[in-house]
Amino acid sequence: MAAFYIFVFRAVLGSGFAVLLMRFFYPKASIAAVIAVAILLVGMAYVMETFHKRNRGPRGRTDR
C-alpha cells in the first residue's frame, strides 16, 4: 500500500479515536485538545511501526 494511503488511513482512525476518547473522558475538551490527541495517536502509530521494523532483524525475519 502506498505511504500516502497508509497516512490517510491512520489519520482518519486517529481522528475518530481521538474524538471518542476525548468525548468519553473529557466531555468539555476543546477542539484543539482533540486535534492534539489525534496528532499524538498518529505519531505514536509511526513510532511503533519504527520499533517493530527495527526489531525484525536481517531481511525482515522474526524467527531468529
Side-chain angles (χ1 to χ4, degrees):
M1 194 183 287
F4 178 72
Y5 292 127
I6 293 172
F7 170 74
V8 170
F9 185 69
R10 287 179 178 168
V12 168
L13 284 178
S15 300
F17 280 116
V19 169
L20 287 175
L21 288 171
M22 294 301 284
R23 294 297 172 222
F24 186 73
F25 290 109
Y26 302 103
K28 295 185 181 191
S30 67
I31 190 69
V34 175
I35 291 171
V37 171
I39 291 171
L40 177 73
L41 289 173
V42 173
M44 289 305 296
Y46 280 103
V47 168
M48 294 303 294
E49 179 185 14
T50 302
F51 285 139
H52 179 73
K53 283 184 178 181
R54 186 178 68 170
N55 290 334
R56 282 191 183 170
R59 291 183 269 159
R61 294 184 57 171
T62 58
D63 60 343
R64 300 187 227 183

